[in-house]
Amino acid sequence: MLLDSAVITARGAVADRLAYHLINEVQPDESEMCEELECPEDCSGRHDASHVDCGPDAIFEDLLRHGVTVEEPDPAPLSPQFAALFAPRSEEPAPLFPGLEEQASAALAQLGIDPDDPEVLLSAAAAGLAAEALLNEPLDAIRTAPDGPSAGEVFAQGVDLYRRARKALVAARDGGPERLDAFTAVASDLDLPWAGGSRFTLRAASGPVSDFVRHIDEQAYMTKELMRRQGWRNALLHRAFTAVLKDTHHFGMPDWPAVVDAAMEHLASLDRSSLPPGLTDLRTVETALLQKPDRLGVDALEWLARHALLG
């Protein structure tokens, strides 16, 4: 109702101003009236219907000369909401997380992530974005459905999203926060099959898919807004802290090589004949886990996840 009322008022004001404009456009110049109206020297001679060129002050002065005293009205104060529209904007928006630089840097250093190492910080931030996309309540509900993704599919997708997040973060540093949209587009795509040879798509899934997509959009927006307000490095610190809280052993995190070492030690202790075909060549498996785990395929990753070998 308020919006409708405001629109009607705005339309009325525009129509009123247009009517005066049309009247004034056909008004002839009447310079001879300037003396009577006591206009200033720079008066154009056009005495528009909406006002007198010399301004309202002259009107009150003329009345006073004839013995009529009229108190000049003060302009009505604007409502706080309307005044806010005309308030000068601060040059720099308020920070989302004041003190983030000092607090996050200290916390990450204690947790084994060097905030002053650009590559380590970038990788941890990318892992944080990927973890935020896949470790949340909407996806938990989707996974519990019969047609939900398996642990192997989620892991493969997490690796793929890590690479995309890392690339998008680098692009955002050079081209602006909007470059993160490339990551969001893939992470929330309804029809794109997940990584590792998976056939799973969000469109075919049951559960709160729209909530899942909205969650990814909101988290990406937060990172972009943090970049705008506090800079690229602060956005990385925030997302690196996300990775620490959500998945310390995510691919790309400093602990990942230790996870691979433990997995390979366990695999080496098993009878090769009991391993799935994709895991029998231990050297190939180790290289893949360190560099591109999703290359092993969702079946092999599912087996590793089922035996708690992926962190």
Side-chain angles (χ1 to χ4, degrees):
M1 290 176 61
L2 290 174
L3 180 59
D4 287 344
S5 177
V7 170
I8 292 171
T9 302
R11 285 175 176 166
V14 171
D16 182 66
R17 186 66 189 88
L18 179 59
Y20 276 122
H21 174 72
L22 295 175
I23 294 171
N24 293 332
E25 283 299 303
V26 299
Q27 287 266 32
D29 292 348
E30 296 177 320
S31 303
E32 65 277 6
M33 292 182 63
C34 290
E35 183 177 355
E36 181 180 347
L37 295 173
E38 298 183 4
C39 297
E41 293 182 359
D42 60 349
C43 179
S44 66
R46 292 266 311 263
H47 305 102
D48 294 345
S50 59
H51 66 282
V52 178
D53 279 4
C54 52
D57 290 342
I59 297 174
F60 290 100
E61 293 170 1
D62 287 344
L63 291 173
L64 184 59
R65 288 196 193 98
H66 292 83
V68 179
T69 303
V70 179
E71 184 178 353
E72 188 172 352
D74 295 325
L78 299 175
S79 67
Q81 296 85 352
F82 194 63
L85 297 176
F86 298 94
R89 294 181 179 273
S90 58
E91 294 184 1
E92 295 184 3
L96 288 179
F97 303 106
L100 176 64
E101 172 81 30
E102 297 78 12
Q103 296 172 13
S105 295
L108 290 172
Q110 291 182 355
L111 295 168
I113 297 177
D114 185 358
D116 296 321
D117 187 323
E119 289 298 317
V120 171
L121 182 60
L122 175 61
S123 293
L129 265 181
E132 192 67 74
L134 295 177
L135 298 178
N136 52 66
E137 291 184 6
L139 187 62
D140 290 342
I142 294 172
R143 290 183 64 180
T144 59
D147 55 358
S150 66
E153 289 173 314
V154 172
F155 185 86
Q157 182 71 354
V159 172
D160 183 68
L161 290 182
Y162 161 82
R163 287 195 296 263
R164 296 178 185 275
R166 201 176 193 279
K167 185 176 180 180
L169 286 169
V170 172
R173 177 191 61 194
D174 302 327
E178 289 71 22
R179 295 298 184 91
L180 279 181
D181 292 342
F183 167 80
T184 309
V186 173
S188 59
D189 192 294
L190 298 180
D191 299 305
L192 184 68
W194 278 19
S198 171
R199 296 181 179 178
F200 173 79
T201 64
L202 288 170
R203 189 177 298 280
S206 303
V209 173
S210 59
D211 292 342
F212 173 75
V213 172
R214 182 166 55 252
H215 173 80
I216 292 176
D217 289 340
E218 289 172 351
Q219 294 303 317
Y221 173 80
M222 179 185 295
T223 302
K224 291 189 291 185
E225 192 64 18
L226 189 52
M227 285 184 186
R228 295 186 187 100
R229 298 191 185 197
Q230 294 177 241
W232 186 75
R233 173 175 165 78
N234 273 268
L236 261 58
L237 288 169
H238 177 255
R239 281 308 168 202
F241 200 70
T242 299
V244 170
L245 293 177
K246 284 190 171 266
D247 193 354
T248 306
H249 303 301
H250 196 285
F251 176 74
M253 292 290 283
D255 287 348
W256 180 246
V259 173
V260 174
D261 288 343
M264 297 311 302
E265 184 177 348
H266 181 81
L267 289 175
S269 68
L270 299 177
D271 181 3
R272 298 286 184 90
S273 62
S274 66
L275 295 176
L279 299 176
T280 54
D281 187 340
L282 297 184
R283 181 173 296 181
T284 301
V285 171
E286 182 177 13
T287 301
L289 286 176
L290 288 172
Q291 299 177 2
K292 296 181 178 181
D294 51 329
R295 189 172 61 189
L296 292 173
V298 293
D299 292 337
L301 293 174
E302 176 65 23
W303 190 92
L304 292 172
R306 193 165 58 248
H307 290 79
L309 299 180
L310 294 178

